[in-house]
Amino acid sequence: MKRYFGCHVSSSGGLENSLKNGDFLGVNAIQLHPSPPQKWNSKPYTSGFEDKYLIEKKTSKVEKVFFHAIYLINLANPDPSKFHLSKISLVHYLELASKIGADGVIVHVGSLKDQEDENVGFAQVAEGIKWVLDQSPGGARLLMEVAAGSGKVIGSKMEQLANIFKLAGYPKRLGFALDTQHMWASGYNLIENLEVVIESIKNNFSFENIGCIHINDSKVDYNSKKDRHENIGGGSIGWEGLKAFVNHPELIGIPMILETPHLKDTETAKLEVEKFKELLSI
């Protein structure tokens, strides 16, 4: 089975540069931010924004492309204006993703920190997702990412996202994204209980609903509830733990994306990708 592997890349200077960066690193899958992740994306993309990207795509070896949603999104926020900004940002990303034939938009759905009743919060997230998908017809999927379990963040337990998936009622365009560091920090033991974790993924999500997997080692210990990525083999999950996970028969067909600290520099990014290929036995 073909392996789709890659990393988060910059799109600075133009959307097409994400493909150039992916080709430079020798990967066939990328993740990017189409706009600054710390700012609200409240306006649609201008006509022709994607033209240079589509030209570059004709010769690029990148086959799988994912957007990562902005960091401000919280679909459980009871503030109506912030709730709407979260929704409209996802609509704009999904519209652009459909125009360029991207495979999905990955999002952390939010936190229940301002919700008195968590059931109300989950229902609001599902309502928001349904609205987003209603307003953005097209082929791109929205992928809810598992989260590291600090505070009242949604997604630290698979059951939470599985519940939202059922409530939203959009099985074909809604899916999930895994993250090894987040799962490890949230209490999923990838080293001692890998088969138990795989069974939990199967029961809560089913493998065909998983669009992408983030591969990260962890700066923090198991069940620490903190989101702290580390380079491959340099953290508490370790080389052997990650190797067993990425090569599990149930997961090898799912695109895998690095989000490690070494990606911030071109030269260390190249080395990190080579380590990733070794991990995948490519």
Side-chain angles (χ1 to χ4, degrees):
M1 183 177 291
K2 185 170 185 176
R3 302 301 303 261
Y4 293 103
F5 67 97
C7 57
H8 189 96
V9 295
S10 171
S11 63
S12 178
L15 198 62
E16 67 278 6
N17 287 335
S18 63
L19 294 171
K20 293 178 182 179
N21 290 329
D23 285 330
F24 174 77
L25 292 171
V27 300
N28 61 12
I30 59 173
Q31 176 183 274
L32 62 133
H33 293 297
S35 64
Q38 301 89 358
K39 297 181 179 179
W40 288 113
N41 176 33
S42 57
K43 295 181 180 179
Y45 289 94
T46 56
S47 177
F49 179 83
E50 72 279 5
D51 289 352
K52 291 181 180 179
Y53 174 95
L54 293 174
I55 292 171
E56 186 70 27
K57 188 71 169 68
K58 293 178 181 178
T59 56
S60 174
K61 293 183 180 180
V62 173
E63 299 178 58
K64 299 290 183 180
V65 177
F66 299 91
F67 293 169
H68 196 294
I70 64 170
Y71 300 141
L72 301 175
I73 287 173
N74 183 2
L75 292 171
N77 195 325
D79 182 323
S81 63
K82 296 291 178 63
F83 180 43
H84 183 71
L85 283 169
S86 294
K87 292 188 294 180
I88 206 69
S89 174
L90 289 173
V91 168
H92 294 156
Y93 269 31
L94 284 165
E95 287 176 343
L96 180 61
S98 291
K99 284 183 179 180
I100 69 169
D103 297 272
V105 175
I106 299 167
V107 62
H108 290 281
V109 298
S111 170
L112 296 166
K113 63 184 179 66
D114 297 316
Q115 286 282 1
E116 294 183 8
D117 185 336
E118 69 173 27
N119 291 323
V120 172
F122 290 133
Q124 180 178 310
V125 173
E127 174 194 339
I129 288 173
K130 187 176 187 306
W131 187 91
V132 165
L133 295 175
D134 281 342
Q135 297 298 316
S136 56
R141 299 170 74 192
L142 185 64
L143 303 174
M144 301 182 291
E145 184 176 352
V146 297
S150 59
K152 293 186 176 181
V153 65
I154 299 171
S156 61
K157 298 301 178 187
M158 296 183 202
E159 290 82 0
Q160 295 175 333
L161 298 182
N163 180 43
I164 292 168
F165 181 85
K166 293 174 183 176
L167 290 172
Y170 249 106
K172 291 186 178 180
R173 289 191 58 212
L174 184 60
F176 306 96
L178 305 178
D179 185 305
T180 52
Q181 195 279 326
H182 297 172
M183 293 167 67
W184 174 255
S186 291
Y188 293 95
N189 196 323
L190 305 179
I191 297 176
E192 296 180 4
N193 297 314
L194 178 58
E195 290 305 323
V196 174
V197 175
I198 294 295
E199 190 67 16
S200 184
I201 294 169
K202 177 182 178 180
N203 292 338
N204 284 289
F205 298 160
S206 74
F207 299 112
E208 63 267 23
N209 289 327
I210 301 171
C212 180
I213 305 176
H214 292 156
I215 304 301
N216 302 297
D217 213 327
S218 178
K219 286 184 182 293
V220 293
D221 293 335
Y222 167 71
N223 206 27
S224 64
K225 313 300 184 186
K226 295 179 180 178
D227 185 348
R228 299 288 187 277
H229 297 187
E230 182 56 280
N231 301 310
I232 293 176
S236 56
I237 303 174
W239 182 268
E240 293 302 323
L242 288 173
K243 186 173 184 179
F245 181 86
V246 301
N247 292 300
H248 194 283
E250 297 284 12
L251 305 176
I252 58 174
I254 302 171
M256 297 184 179
I257 301 286
L258 292 172
E259 294 179 317
T260 57
H262 272 167
L263 300 179
K264 295 178 181 178
D265 178 83
T266 302
E267 292 307 312
T268 56
K270 290 177 71 174
L271 294 173
E272 190 77 348
V273 168
E274 288 305 309
K275 282 167 56 181
F276 193 24
K277 291 167 71 174
E278 183 182 348
L279 192 73
L280 297 166
S281 302
I282 293 175

